[in-house]
Amino acid sequence: MSFAKNLKCRECGRVYPLDPIHVCEFCFGPLEVFYDYKAMGRAVTRDHIERGPPTMWRYAELLPCNPETAVDIGTGLTPLVRARNLGRLLGLDRLYIKNDCQNPTWSFKDRVVSVATSVAREFEFDTLACASTGNLANSVAAHAARAGMKARVFIPADLEQGKIIGSAIYSPTLVAVDGGYDEVNRLCSEVSDKYPWAFVNINMRPYYAEGSKTLGYEVCEQLGWRAPDHCIVPLASGSLYTKIYKGIKELAWLGLVDWQATRMSGAQAEGCSPIAEAWNRRSFLIKPQKPNTIAKSLAIGNPADGYYALKTMADTNGAAATVTDDEVVEGIQLLAETEGIFAETAGGVVISGLRRLVDDGYVRADEVVVAFITGAGLKTQEAVLPAIQPPLAIRATLDAFEEALEERDGVLPAARGA
Amino acid sequence: MEKRRVKFTFVESLIKEPIIWKLGRQFEIVTNIRRADVQADRGWVILELEGERDEVDHGLEWVEQQGVRIDPVYEDIVEG
């Protein structure tokens, strides 16, 4: 069963029933799911979780939907990898990578959409909708297919072919909107007002956002029921960042981990860094930006949870880093070359952001650090294309092979028996 | 008639200007402030505007001309 009790306004505290709504009617503040933690604490134990399915739904009791009717395409319990090579290079003794590339549609969005789809079905919606430049669109299309729901997915008209295919294969109604982000935002706001659909990040948002908590739960369980000392998270809307922290806090409230005073740091690309920019001004006032970066999955110029992300950063003694687009590519390459993990551009932001935070003294060498890699690199191949080594093109002879190797490396490798 | 939720962000030079009062006087718009954070050097106000669609559009155009940044309250819907 779910222990979700009601929705609560994050600004004025007004309480609402668990309905498909997302904004407080009085102050327009965002609504958040509130739980009966006392009852939850009596029902949820480490053993109970460990005996659950090998997916995010092992934490079903901590989510706002009925586990029996959950729409699960096999999301979660992704690897937490001890990154010894990258750690050595950065001077970190205990660095871990949470590799969320390994979800069914290759990004962490499966976590939030899995919850949103499950709740949408409980509310008896027959249509799932979203506006996205890639990862969210893929996930909504896949989950709607699994749930037997109709999908309406709005994308910018100039989206790359690869990203369109990642959604189109599940046969949603794909709507390519002519215009920039502002136009797509405005259109979707009007559409969501008019049609009785479950828009995953509008009327489903309070529930949808809760899916990100499972990243915090998993990391704690995978560390042997221990909270990390420091998390490095990509910042887009700020929701993922705040919910990972909420997940860690909840496990501590429930007595499943000791309170570790986990520090939460974030990273953004310079071309879209409204949260980091406010942080560097020591202000809680977000100035919206027009995104201009290759890290498109983080390109949210007016982040819905930016203010709450800044509060979490201040409360946890965290920090924010920004990186250039060149550093995004370098970060992707560094992670691939040291740990064998091919991340999308958001991952490049995290790795280069981590490097900056280490250089600036914000991350300590002895901390248990977890860097969150939220999407797979095959989705954003065009970003790294100019930077990768072309293959050695040769004729099919041993001489040609050795000539090419010698030309590139200056020496030949040791031959057998040499 | 329609209702529109917007966020006004003021820079320091505009803090003393009674822009919301003027908006209600110069245009047939009912202004209804719901949440705000105004300090000496900056501020934002979230409010609901009610009026004929054209009138609200013209009013917002005027507010923008005064140097106030206007954003929709729903923030960004498009995600990665």
Side-chain angles (χ1 to χ4, degrees):
Chain A
M1 65 172 282
S2 168
F3 294 97
K5 212 162 95 180
N6 45 43
L7 297 176
K8 206 171 184 178
C9 175
R10 289 171 88 170
E11 290 300 322
C12 70
R14 191 170 289 270
V15 171
Y16 293 85
L18 293 164
D19 286 334
I21 51 173
H22 68 299
V23 172
C24 174
E25 277 306 310
F26 284 79
C27 73
F28 298 161
L31 302 179
E32 186 175 32
V33 180
F34 197 74
Y35 299 86
D36 180 350
Y37 286 110
K38 270 191 181 165
M40 190 191 277
R42 285 192 291 271
V44 181
T45 63
R46 289 181 183 178
D47 184 55
H48 175 83
I49 291 171
E50 284 166 357
R51 280 188 282 109
T55 71
M56 62 177 268
W57 288 99
R58 65 207 278 110
Y59 311 103
E61 281 78 10
L62 290 82
L63 296 171
C65 42
N66 181 354
E68 273 87 57
T69 54
V71 181
D72 182 12
I73 61 171
T75 299
L77 213 63
T78 54
L80 181 73
V81 181
R82 179 83 186 258
R84 286 195 168 82
N85 298 333
L86 181 59
R88 201 174 301 124
L89 210 131
L90 298 177
L92 299 175
D93 298 336
R94 290 178 292 173
L95 172 63
Y96 293 83
I97 301 292
K98 180 61 173 167
N99 182 5
D100 236 21
C101 307
Q102 295 200 17
N103 277 316
T105 71
W106 304 287
S107 88
F108 89 99
K109 292 288 185 190
D110 287 332
R111 297 176 184 275
V112 282
V113 175
S114 186
V115 174
T117 311
S118 305
V119 175
R121 273 216 314 208
E122 286 181 32
F123 286 131
E124 299 182 348
F125 284 101
D126 66 357
T127 303
L128 206 59
C130 76
S132 168
T133 55
N135 292 335
L136 181 61
N138 297 170
S139 189
V140 163
H143 280 85
R146 173 70 169 218
M149 297 172 77
K150 285 175 260 182
R152 308 271 191 257
V153 174
F154 294 82
I155 56 173
D158 60 355
L159 209 56
E160 298 91 332
Q161 193 68 22
K163 289 183 181 164
I164 296 174
I165 292 169
S167 296
I169 190 66
Y170 306 104
S171 293
T173 301
L174 260 184
V175 186
V177 183
D178 192 14
Y181 280 31
D182 287 350
E183 284 79 14
V184 182
N185 278 323
R186 193 150 296 142
L187 169 68
C188 289
S189 174
E190 287 176 25
V191 170
S192 72
D193 279 346
K194 182 160 184 179
Y195 294 98
W197 299 341
F199 245 96
V200 294
N201 55 353
I202 306 180
N203 54 347
M204 291 293 110
R205 188 171 185 87
Y207 311 96
Y208 161 90
E210 293 290 286
S212 291
K213 294 191 306 183
T214 58
L215 268 165
Y217 303 149
E218 284 180 20
V219 162
C220 291
E221 185 184 348
Q222 289 168 319
L223 285 173
W225 295 107
R226 179 209 195 275
D229 296 322
H230 205 149
C231 295
I232 317 295
V233 182
L235 295 166
S237 74
S239 172
L240 169 71
Y241 173 89
T242 57
K243 294 295 179 175
I244 288 174
Y245 186 56
K246 183 179 179 185
I248 294 170
K249 272 194 304 188
E250 283 181 339
L251 291 193
W253 292 341
L254 295 170
L256 301 178
V257 295
D258 289 333
W259 178 243
Q260 203 72 38
T262 302
R263 299 171 66 201
M264 297 295 297
S265 290
Q268 295 200 290
E270 272 180 12
C272 186
S273 52
I275 299 174
E277 191 273 335
W279 175 257
N280 291 331
R281 271 190 291 115
R282 294 287 178 262
S283 168
F284 287 110
L285 182 76
I286 300 273
K287 290 182 184 170
Q289 296 180 356
K290 287 252 181 264
N292 180 22
T293 170
I294 58 167
K296 288 186 180 151
S297 59
L298 303 182
I300 293 190
N302 190 15
D305 288 292
Y307 168 73
Y308 303 103
L310 288 166
K311 272 186 74 177
T312 300
M313 210 170 272
D315 289 347
T316 64
N317 191 24
T322 56
V323 300
T324 64
D325 278 1
D326 284 346
E327 288 169 324
V328 174
V329 176
E330 285 167 24
I332 295 172
Q333 288 180 299
L334 187 60
L335 181 63
E337 289 164 8
T338 54
E339 300 299 337
I341 295 170
F342 182 18
E344 64 139 306
T345 45
V349 171
V350 166
I351 298 303
S352 285
L354 169 61
R355 183 152 67 174
R356 175 140 306 152
L357 291 169
V358 172
D359 290 347
D360 293 346
Y362 288 112
V363 181
R364 292 195 310 270
D366 62 339
E367 287 181 315
V368 172
V369 179
V370 178
F372 290 80
I373 301 302
T374 51
L378 288 176
K379 292 194 179 206
T380 56
Q381 293 178 64
E382 66 286 349
V384 291
L385 207 53
I388 53 173
Q389 287 257 351
L392 296 173
I394 60 166
R395 283 172 287 112
T397 67
L398 190 58
D399 281 350
F401 170 62
E402 289 180 338
E403 204 175 290
L405 264 191
E406 202 168 7
E407 194 178 315
R408 194 193 67 179
D409 300 339
V411 286
L412 281 175
R416 235 183 249 278
Chain B
M1 295 286 267
E2 75 167 27
K3 287 183 179 175
R4 209 174 305 174
R5 297 169 180 185
V6 288
K7 180 179 183 181
F8 291 171
T9 305
F10 300 87
V11 291
E12 189 171 0
S13 59
L14 293 170
I15 290 290
K16 290 183 190 165
E17 288 295 315
I19 284 175
I20 296 171
W21 177 79
K22 285 184 181 172
L23 176 66
R25 294 276 292 194
Q26 293 179 21
F27 299 87
E28 286 292 316
I29 295 174
V30 178
T31 60
N32 186 353
I33 296 174
R34 298 299 188 90
R35 192 148 48 97
D37 177 8
V38 181
Q39 299 181 17
D41 60 339
R42 57 169 177 80
W44 57 261
V45 177
I46 285 176
L47 67 170
E48 189 168 63
L49 307 176
E50 188 172 1
E52 294 298 335
R53 189 177 193 150
D54 281 355
E55 194 69 1
V56 173
D57 283 343
H58 290 137
L60 287 175
E61 211 171 285
W62 174 83
V63 172
E64 209 156 28
Q65 282 164 7
Q66 308 310 301
V68 176
R69 187 191 167 99
I70 302 173
D71 289 292
V73 169
Y74 51 72
E75 278 113 8
D76 280 3
I77 294 167
V78 180
E79 286 193 21

